[in-house]
Amino acid sequence: MTYKVLFCLYFVFILFSTPDKPCIGQSSADYFEEEEPIDPEQKLKVDSMAMEKIRDLSKYIAIIGSKSTPFSEANRVVSRALELFADGSVIGVSTLDKEEVKQYEIKKYFERLMALSYDKVKIQWFDIQYISDLEMTPDGKYVGVVTIYQKFEGLQGDALVYKDVTKKDITIYVERKIMQVEGTHVNFWDVLLGDIVVSETVL
């Protein structure tokens, strides 16, 4: 068998070979032939995981926005907070004196939060709840919406100079992924936060 024939056989093998096995954390979209719907028990766990991530984000925002947080610690918390979001997510920012709601890329939002020109900032999230149940999309992922209320207070010295309450809607993405545990591929449901949209801002 000549070298040219061997080369042709190798080319055909590469052309028709199956994809590689998935890597750690790889999306299942191209691996599972047919996506299985999430069962009620799994959905309860996913709902709990989504709420836990939103509460984590609430704590991170309070730490990042606090003027008593050292710069290095704030940056460390920003890195943790960014891990909660899907790529390309944005967050809406509003104030009482402007009708326009500005949209910021998530990292930019945290940088602006750290740079607010108040002596002290208090941020509190409350009434966190689902307003749109998880629904399957054509690609086998799930999408839902959680609403929260954010109470913001900015102080100069001991004087309260600005405060508002903003209702925000947070998109939730749920996707089945695969990870390798001791040589075995294990699939699991992962939750990521998406865009955060301002619904209304009141005093």
CSV table of all heavy atoms in Angstrom, one decimal, residues 22-70:
chain,number,residue,atom,x,y,z
A,22,PRO,N,-17.3,14.8,25.9
A,22,PRO,CA,-17.4,16.1,26.4
A,22,PRO,C,-16.4,16.3,27.5
A,22,PRO,O,-15.9,15.4,28.2
A,22,PRO,CB,-18.8,16.1,27.0
A,22,PRO,CG,-19.1,14.7,27.3
A,22,PRO,CD,-18.4,13.9,26.2
A,23,CYS,N,-16.0,17.6,27.7
A,23,CYS,CA,-15.1,18.0,28.7
A,23,CYS,C,-15.8,18.5,29.9
A,23,CYS,O,-17.0,18.6,29.9
A,23,CYS,CB,-14.2,19.2,28.2
A,23,CYS,SG,-13.3,18.8,26.7
A,24,ILE,N,-15.1,18.7,31.0
A,24,ILE,CA,-15.7,19.2,32.3
A,24,ILE,C,-16.5,20.4,32.1
A,24,ILE,O,-16.0,21.4,31.5
A,24,ILE,CB,-14.6,19.4,33.3
A,24,ILE,CG1,-14.0,18.0,33.7
A,24,ILE,CG2,-15.3,20.0,34.6
A,24,ILE,CD1,-12.8,18.2,34.6
A,25,GLY,N,-17.8,20.4,32.5
A,25,GLY,CA,-18.6,21.6,32.4
A,25,GLY,C,-19.1,21.9,31.0
A,25,GLY,O,-19.8,22.9,30.8
A,26,GLN,N,-18.9,21.0,30.1
A,26,GLN,CA,-19.3,21.2,28.7
A,26,GLN,C,-20.8,21.2,28.6
A,26,GLN,O,-21.5,20.4,29.3
A,26,GLN,CB,-18.7,20.2,27.8
A,26,GLN,CG,-19.1,20.3,26.3
A,26,GLN,CD,-18.5,19.2,25.4
A,26,GLN,OE1,-17.4,18.7,25.8
A,26,GLN,NE2,-19.1,18.9,24.3
A,27,SER,N,-21.4,22.0,27.7
A,27,SER,CA,-22.8,22.0,27.5
A,27,SER,C,-23.2,20.7,26.9
A,27,SER,O,-22.5,20.1,26.1
A,27,SER,CB,-23.2,23.1,26.6
A,27,SER,OG,-24.5,22.9,26.1
A,28,SER,N,-24.4,20.2,27.2
A,28,SER,CA,-24.9,18.9,26.7
A,28,SER,C,-25.6,19.1,25.4
A,28,SER,O,-26.0,18.1,24.8
A,28,SER,CB,-25.9,18.3,27.7
A,28,SER,OG,-27.0,19.2,27.8
A,29,ALA,N,-25.7,20.3,24.9
A,29,ALA,CA,-26.5,20.6,23.7
A,29,ALA,C,-26.1,19.8,22.5
A,29,ALA,O,-26.9,19.3,21.7
A,29,ALA,CB,-26.5,22.1,23.3
A,30,ASP,N,-24.7,19.5,22.4
A,30,ASP,CA,-24.2,18.8,21.2
A,30,ASP,C,-23.9,17.4,21.6
A,30,ASP,O,-23.3,16.6,20.8
A,30,ASP,CB,-23.0,19.5,20.7
A,30,ASP,CG,-23.3,20.9,20.2
A,30,ASP,OD1,-24.4,21.1,19.7
A,30,ASP,OD2,-22.4,21.8,20.4
A,31,TYR,N,-24.2,16.9,22.8
A,31,TYR,CA,-23.8,15.6,23.2
A,31,TYR,C,-25.0,14.6,23.3
A,31,TYR,O,-25.0,13.5,22.8
A,31,TYR,CB,-23.1,15.7,24.5
A,31,TYR,CG,-22.6,14.3,25.0
A,31,TYR,CD1,-21.6,13.7,24.3
A,31,TYR,CD2,-23.1,13.8,26.2
A,31,TYR,CE1,-21.1,12.5,24.8
A,31,TYR,CE2,-22.7,12.5,26.6
A,31,TYR,CZ,-21.7,11.9,25.9
A,31,TYR,OH,-21.2,10.7,26.4
A,32,PHE,N,-26.1,15.1,24.0
A,32,PHE,CA,-27.2,14.2,24.1
A,32,PHE,C,-28.1,14.3,22.8
A,32,PHE,O,-28.3,15.4,22.3
A,32,PHE,CB,-28.1,14.7,25.3
A,32,PHE,CG,-27.4,14.5,26.6
A,32,PHE,CD1,-26.8,15.6,27.2
A,32,PHE,CD2,-27.4,13.3,27.2
A,32,PHE,CE1,-26.2,15.4,28.5
A,32,PHE,CE2,-26.7,13.1,28.4
A,32,PHE,CZ,-26.1,14.1,29.0
A,33,GLU,N,-28.5,13.1,22.4
A,33,GLU,CA,-29.3,13.1,21.1
A,33,GLU,C,-30.6,13.7,21.3
A,33,GLU,O,-31.2,14.4,20.5
A,33,GLU,CB,-29.4,11.6,20.7
A,33,GLU,CG,-28.1,11.0,20.2
A,33,GLU,CD,-28.3,9.6,19.7
A,33,GLU,OE1,-29.5,9.1,19.8
A,33,GLU,OE2,-27.4,9.0,19.3
A,34,GLU,N,-31.2,13.6,22.5
A,34,GLU,CA,-32.5,14.2,22.8
A,34,GLU,C,-32.5,14.7,24.2
A,34,GLU,O,-32.2,13.9,25.2
A,34,GLU,CB,-33.6,13.1,22.6
A,34,GLU,CG,-35.0,13.7,22.8
A,34,GLU,CD,-36.1,12.6,22.5
A,34,GLU,OE1,-35.7,11.6,22.0
A,34,GLU,OE2,-37.2,12.9,22.7
A,35,GLU,N,-32.8,15.9,24.4
A,35,GLU,CA,-32.9,16.5,25.8
A,35,GLU,C,-34.0,15.9,26.6
A,35,GLU,O,-35.2,15.9,26.1
A,35,GLU,CB,-32.9,18.0,25.7
A,35,GLU,CG,-31.7,18.7,25.2
A,35,GLU,CD,-30.5,18.6,26.2
A,35,GLU,OE1,-30.8,18.2,27.3
A,35,GLU,OE2,-29.4,18.9,25.8
A,36,GLU,N,-33.8,15.5,27.8
A,36,GLU,CA,-34.9,15.0,28.6
A,36,GLU,C,-35.4,16.1,29.4
A,36,GLU,O,-34.7,17.0,29.9
A,36,GLU,CB,-34.3,13.9,29.6
A,36,GLU,CG,-33.7,12.7,28.9
A,36,GLU,CD,-33.1,11.7,29.9
A,36,GLU,OE1,-33.1,12.0,31.1
A,36,GLU,OE2,-32.5,10.7,29.4
A,37,PRO,N,-36.8,16.2,29.6
A,37,PRO,CA,-37.3,17.3,30.4
A,37,PRO,C,-36.9,17.2,31.8
A,37,PRO,O,-36.7,16.1,32.3
A,37,PRO,CB,-38.8,17.1,30.2
A,37,PRO,CG,-39.0,15.7,29.8
A,37,PRO,CD,-37.8,15.3,29.1
A,38,ILE,N,-36.9,18.3,32.5
A,38,ILE,CA,-36.5,18.3,33.9
A,38,ILE,C,-37.7,17.8,34.7
A,38,ILE,O,-38.9,18.1,34.5
A,38,ILE,CB,-36.2,19.8,34.3
A,38,ILE,CG1,-35.5,19.8,35.7
A,38,ILE,CG2,-37.4,20.7,34.3
A,38,ILE,CD1,-34.9,21.1,36.0
A,39,ASP,N,-37.4,16.8,35.6
A,39,ASP,CA,-38.5,16.2,36.4
A,39,ASP,C,-38.8,17.1,37.6
A,39,ASP,O,-38.0,18.0,38.0
A,39,ASP,CB,-38.2,14.8,36.8
A,39,ASP,CG,-37.0,14.7,37.7
A,39,ASP,OD1,-37.0,15.5,38.7
A,39,ASP,OD2,-36.2,13.8,37.5
A,40,PRO,N,-40.0,16.9,38.3
A,40,PRO,CA,-40.4,17.8,39.4
A,40,PRO,C,-39.4,17.9,40.5
A,40,PRO,O,-39.2,18.9,41.1
A,40,PRO,CB,-41.7,17.1,39.8
A,40,PRO,CG,-42.3,16.5,38.6
A,40,PRO,CD,-41.1,15.9,37.9
A,41,GLU,N,-38.8,16.7,40.8
A,41,GLU,CA,-37.8,16.7,41.9
A,41,GLU,C,-36.6,17.6,41.6
A,41,GLU,O,-36.1,18.4,42.4
A,41,GLU,CB,-37.4,15.3,42.3
A,41,GLU,CG,-36.4,15.2,43.5
A,41,GLU,CD,-36.1,13.8,43.8
A,41,GLU,OE1,-36.7,12.9,43.3
A,41,GLU,OE2,-35.2,13.6,44.7
A,42,GLN,N,-36.1,17.4,40.3
A,42,GLN,CA,-35.0,18.2,39.8
A,42,GLN,C,-35.3,19.6,39.8
A,42,GLN,O,-34.5,20.5,40.1
A,42,GLN,CB,-34.5,17.7,38.5
A,42,GLN,CG,-33.9,16.3,38.5
A,42,GLN,CD,-33.7,15.8,37.0
A,42,GLN,OE1,-34.4,16.1,36.1
A,42,GLN,NE2,-32.6,15.1,36.9
A,43,LYS,N,-36.6,19.9,39.4
A,43,LYS,CA,-37.0,21.3,39.3
A,43,LYS,C,-37.0,22.0,40.6
A,43,LYS,O,-36.6,23.2,40.7
A,43,LYS,CB,-38.4,21.4,38.7
A,43,LYS,CG,-38.9,22.9,38.5
A,43,LYS,CD,-40.2,22.9,37.8
A,43,LYS,CE,-40.6,24.4,37.6
A,43,LYS,NZ,-40.6,25.2,38.9
A,44,LEU,N,-37.4,21.3,41.7
A,44,LEU,CA,-37.3,21.9,43.0
A,44,LEU,C,-35.9,22.3,43.4
A,44,LEU,O,-35.6,23.3,44.0
A,44,LEU,CB,-37.9,20.9,44.0
A,44,LEU,CG,-39.4,20.8,44.0
A,44,LEU,CD1,-39.9,19.7,45.0
A,44,LEU,CD2,-40.1,22.1,44.4
A,45,LYS,N,-34.9,21.3,43.0
A,45,LYS,CA,-33.5,21.6,43.3
A,45,LYS,C,-33.0,22.8,42.5
A,45,LYS,O,-32.3,23.6,43.0
A,45,LYS,CB,-32.7,20.3,43.0
A,45,LYS,CG,-33.0,19.2,44.0
A,45,LYS,CD,-32.2,17.9,43.6
A,45,LYS,CE,-32.5,16.8,44.5
A,45,LYS,NZ,-31.8,15.5,44.2
A,46,VAL,N,-33.4,22.8,41.2
A,46,VAL,CA,-33.0,23.9,40.4
A,46,VAL,C,-33.5,25.3,40.9
A,46,VAL,O,-32.8,26.3,41.0
A,46,VAL,CB,-33.4,23.7,38.9
A,46,VAL,CG1,-33.3,25.0,38.1
A,46,VAL,CG2,-32.6,22.6,38.3
A,47,ASP,N,-34.8,25.3,41.3
A,47,ASP,CA,-35.4,26.5,41.8
A,47,ASP,C,-34.6,27.0,43.1
A,47,ASP,O,-34.4,28.1,43.3
A,47,ASP,CB,-36.9,26.3,42.2
A,47,ASP,CG,-37.8,26.2,41.0
A,47,ASP,OD1,-37.3,26.5,39.9
A,47,ASP,OD2,-38.9,25.7,41.2
A,48,SER,N,-34.3,26.0,43.9
A,48,SER,CA,-33.5,26.3,45.1
A,48,SER,C,-32.2,26.9,44.8
A,48,SER,O,-31.7,27.8,45.4
A,48,SER,CB,-33.4,25.1,46.0
A,48,SER,OG,-32.6,25.3,47.1
A,49,MET,N,-31.5,26.3,43.8
A,49,MET,CA,-30.2,26.7,43.4
A,49,MET,C,-30.3,28.1,42.8
A,49,MET,O,-29.4,29.0,43.1
A,49,MET,CB,-29.6,25.8,42.3
A,49,MET,CG,-28.2,26.0,42.0
A,49,MET,SD,-27.6,25.0,40.6
A,49,MET,CE,-28.1,23.4,41.1
A,50,ALA,N,-31.3,28.4,42.0
A,50,ALA,CA,-31.5,29.8,41.4
A,50,ALA,C,-31.6,30.8,42.5
A,50,ALA,O,-31.0,31.9,42.5
A,50,ALA,CB,-32.6,29.8,40.5
A,51,MET,N,-32.5,30.5,43.5
A,51,MET,CA,-32.7,31.4,44.6
A,51,MET,C,-31.4,31.6,45.4
A,51,MET,O,-31.1,32.7,45.9
A,51,MET,CB,-33.8,30.9,45.5
A,51,MET,CG,-35.2,31.0,44.9
A,51,MET,SD,-35.6,32.8,44.5
A,51,MET,CE,-37.3,32.6,43.9
A,52,GLU,N,-30.7,30.6,45.6
A,52,GLU,CA,-29.4,30.7,46.4
A,52,GLU,C,-28.4,31.6,45.6
A,52,GLU,O,-27.7,32.4,46.3
A,52,GLU,CB,-28.8,29.3,46.5
A,52,GLU,CG,-27.5,29.3,47.4
A,52,GLU,CD,-27.0,27.9,47.6
A,52,GLU,OE1,-27.7,26.9,47.3
A,52,GLU,OE2,-25.8,27.8,48.1
A,53,LYS,N,-28.4,31.5,44.3
A,53,LYS,CA,-27.4,32.3,43.5
A,53,LYS,C,-27.9,33.8,43.6
A,53,LYS,O,-27.1,34.7,43.6
A,53,LYS,CB,-27.4,31.8,42.1
A,53,LYS,CG,-26.6,30.5,42.0
A,53,LYS,CD,-26.1,30.2,40.6
A,53,LYS,CE,-25.2,29.0,40.6
A,53,LYS,NZ,-24.5,28.8,39.3
A,54,ILE,N,-29.2,34.0,43.6
A,54,ILE,CA,-29.7,35.4,43.6
A,54,ILE,C,-29.4,36.0,45.0
A,54,ILE,O,-29.0,37.1,45.1
A,54,ILE,CB,-31.2,35.4,43.3
A,54,ILE,CG1,-31.4,35.2,41.8
A,54,ILE,CG2,-31.8,36.8,43.7
A,54,ILE,CD1,-32.8,35.1,41.4
A,55,ARG,N,-29.5,35.2,46.0
A,55,ARG,CA,-29.2,35.7,47.4
A,55,ARG,C,-27.7,35.9,47.5
A,55,ARG,O,-27.3,36.9,48.2
A,55,ARG,CB,-29.7,34.7,48.5
A,55,ARG,CG,-31.2,34.6,48.6
A,55,ARG,CD,-31.7,33.8,49.8
A,55,ARG,NE,-33.1,33.7,49.8
A,55,ARG,CZ,-33.9,32.7,49.3
A,55,ARG,NH1,-33.2,31.7,48.7
A,55,ARG,NH2,-35.2,32.8,49.4
A,56,ASP,N,-26.9,35.1,46.9
A,56,ASP,CA,-25.5,35.3,46.8
A,56,ASP,C,-25.2,36.6,46.2
A,56,ASP,O,-24.4,37.4,46.7
A,56,ASP,CB,-24.7,34.2,46.1
A,56,ASP,CG,-24.6,32.9,46.9
A,56,ASP,OD1,-24.9,33.0,48.1
A,56,ASP,OD2,-24.3,31.8,46.3
A,57,LEU,N,-25.8,36.9,45.0
A,57,LEU,CA,-25.6,38.1,44.3
A,57,LEU,C,-26.0,39.3,45.2
A,57,LEU,O,-25.3,40.4,45.2
A,57,LEU,CB,-26.4,38.2,43.0
A,57,LEU,CG,-26.3,39.4,42.2
A,57,LEU,CD1,-24.9,39.7,41.8
A,57,LEU,CD2,-27.2,39.4,41.0
A,58,SER,N,-27.1,39.2,45.9
A,58,SER,CA,-27.6,40.3,46.8
A,58,SER,C,-26.5,40.6,47.8
A,58,SER,O,-26.1,41.7,48.1
A,58,SER,CB,-28.8,39.8,47.5
A,58,SER,OG,-29.2,40.7,48.5
A,59,LYS,N,-25.9,39.5,48.4
A,59,LYS,CA,-24.8,39.7,49.4
A,59,LYS,C,-23.6,40.4,48.8
A,59,LYS,O,-23.0,41.3,49.3
A,59,LYS,CB,-24.4,38.4,50.1
A,59,LYS,CG,-25.5,37.9,51.0
A,59,LYS,CD,-25.0,36.6,51.7
A,59,LYS,CE,-24.9,35.4,50.8
A,59,LYS,NZ,-24.6,34.2,51.5
A,60,TYR,N,-23.2,39.9,47.6
A,60,TYR,CA,-22.1,40.4,46.9
A,60,TYR,C,-22.2,41.9,46.6
A,60,TYR,O,-21.3,42.7,46.7
A,60,TYR,CB,-21.8,39.7,45.6
A,60,TYR,CG,-21.4,38.2,45.8
A,60,TYR,CD1,-21.6,37.3,44.8
A,60,TYR,CD2,-20.9,37.8,47.0
A,60,TYR,CE1,-21.2,35.9,44.9
A,60,TYR,CE2,-20.5,36.4,47.1
A,60,TYR,CZ,-20.7,35.5,46.1
A,60,TYR,OH,-20.3,34.2,46.3
A,61,ILE,N,-23.4,42.3,46.1
A,61,ILE,CA,-23.7,43.7,45.7
A,61,ILE,C,-23.6,44.6,47.0
A,61,ILE,O,-23.0,45.7,46.9
A,61,ILE,CB,-25.1,43.9,45.1
A,61,ILE,CG1,-25.0,43.3,43.6
A,61,ILE,CG2,-25.5,45.3,45.1
A,61,ILE,CD1,-26.3,43.4,42.9
A,62,ALA,N,-24.1,44.1,48.1
A,62,ALA,CA,-24.0,44.9,49.4
A,62,ALA,C,-22.5,45.1,49.8
A,62,ALA,O,-22.1,46.1,50.2
A,62,ALA,CB,-24.8,44.2,50.5
A,63,ILE,N,-21.7,44.0,49.6
A,63,ILE,CA,-20.3,44.1,50.0
A,63,ILE,C,-19.5,45.0,49.0
A,63,ILE,O,-18.8,45.9,49.5
A,63,ILE,CB,-19.7,42.7,50.0
A,63,ILE,CG1,-20.3,41.8,51.1
A,63,ILE,CG2,-18.1,42.8,50.1
A,63,ILE,CD1,-19.9,40.3,51.0
A,64,ILE,N,-19.8,44.8,47.7
A,64,ILE,CA,-19.1,45.6,46.7
A,64,ILE,C,-19.4,47.1,46.9
A,64,ILE,O,-18.6,48.0,46.7
A,64,ILE,CB,-19.4,45.1,45.3
A,64,ILE,CG1,-18.9,43.7,45.1
A,64,ILE,CG2,-18.9,46.1,44.2
A,64,ILE,CD1,-19.5,43.0,43.9
A,65,GLY,N,-20.7,47.4,47.1
A,65,GLY,CA,-21.1,48.8,47.2
A,65,GLY,C,-20.8,49.5,48.5
A,65,GLY,O,-20.7,50.7,48.6
A,66,SER,N,-20.5,48.7,49.6
A,66,SER,CA,-20.1,49.3,50.9
A,66,SER,C,-18.8,50.0,50.9
A,66,SER,O,-17.8,49.5,50.4
A,66,SER,CB,-20.1,48.2,52.0
A,66,SER,OG,-19.6,48.7,53.2
A,67,LYS,N,-18.8,51.2,51.4
A,67,LYS,CA,-17.5,52.0,51.4
A,67,LYS,C,-16.6,51.5,52.5
A,67,LYS,O,-15.4,51.9,52.5
A,67,LYS,CB,-17.9,53.5,51.7
A,67,LYS,CG,-18.7,54.1,50.6
A,67,LYS,CD,-18.0,54.0,49.2
A,67,LYS,CE,-18.9,54.6,48.1
A,67,LYS,NZ,-18.2,54.5,46.8
A,68,SER,N,-17.0,50.6,53.3
A,68,SER,CA,-16.1,50.0,54.3
A,68,SER,C,-15.4,48.8,53.8
A,68,SER,O,-14.5,48.3,54.5
A,68,SER,CB,-16.9,49.7,55.6
A,68,SER,OG,-17.9,48.7,55.3
A,69,THR,N,-15.7,48.3,52.6
A,69,THR,CA,-15.1,47.2,52.1
A,69,THR,C,-13.7,47.6,51.4
A,69,THR,O,-13.7,48.4,50.6
A,69,THR,CB,-15.9,46.5,51.0
A,69,THR,OG1,-17.2,46.2,51.5
A,69,THR,CG2,-15.3,45.2,50.4
A,70,PRO,N,-12.6,47.0,51.9
A,70,PRO,CA,-11.3,47.3,51.2
A,70,PRO,C,-11.3,47.0,49.7
A,70,PRO,O,-12.0,46.1,49.3
A,70,PRO,CB,-10.3,46.3,52.0
A,70,PRO,CG,-11.0,46.0,53.3
A,70,PRO,CD,-12.5,46.0,53.0
